Amino acid sequence: QVQLVESGGDSARAGGSLKLSCVVSGFSTGTYCMAWFRQAPGKEREGVASISPYGPISYAGFTKGRFVIYKDNSKNTLYLVIKSLEPEDTAMYFCASQTRPDCDNAFAVGAYSTWGQGTQVTVSS
């Protein structure tokens, strides 16, 4: 059974950091393009970062070097580190997977067929 399970979301103060995890089952993290998205209340879901099994990584413009995506294929887990947290980072964070290795349309919601349930990040000033 294909499943993505996120964890690591928390309430944090601005300036801190968080590490989100996405445990994958049903396929290997070394197979498909994967990404992190986020959705703030009242806003559309937006791509944060993507990673291809071939290596290429892409970040959305707003990340400004504060976000790091990486994966540990031995643990079949995708990670997202958020540094220097800002209140604007408050959102539900989702991991997602395509069914191909190339991250074409890396930040298009419709390009991803498998989604986790999300983990909430709340940042206070």
Side-chain angles (χ1 to χ4, degrees):
Q1 180 182 0
V2 175
Q3 193 174 21
L4 307 178
V5 179
E6 303 96 331
S7 63
D10 203 351
S11 296
R13 298 292 298 270
S17 63
L18 285 174
K19 184 173 81 170
L20 310 182
S21 301
C22 172
V23 177
V24 177
S25 57
F27 68 95
S28 167
T29 51
T31 304
Y32 300 130
C33 170
M34 296 195 69
W36 285 95
F37 285 75
R38 70 182 188 181
Q39 187 167 19
K43 294 188 176 181
E44 293 187 354
R45 191 170 297 190
E46 62 179 353
V48 176
S50 68
I51 183 167
S52 164
Y54 298 148
I57 291 173
S58 296
Y59 291 99
F62 67 80
T63 56
K64 299 177 183 177
R66 298 189 298 111
F67 293 69
V68 179
I69 185 173
Y70 68 100
K71 57 189 175 76
D72 185 336
N73 291 339
S74 68
K75 295 182 179 179
N76 228 33
T77 302
L78 178 72
Y79 300 95
L80 181 71
V81 175
I82 313 172
K83 300 177 283 187
S84 300
L85 285 162
E86 301 176 350
E88 292 73 24
D89 295 325
T90 295
M92 185 74 79
Y93 284 73
F94 301 88
C95 68
S97 174
Q98 296 193 23
T99 55
R100 53 186 295 170
D102 297 301
C103 286
D104 294 340
N105 300 310
F107 298 143
V109 172
Y112 294 82
S113 57
T114 304
W115 292 83
Q117 83 290 348
T119 187
Q120 178 67 40
V121 172
T122 302
V123 183
S124 59
S125 57

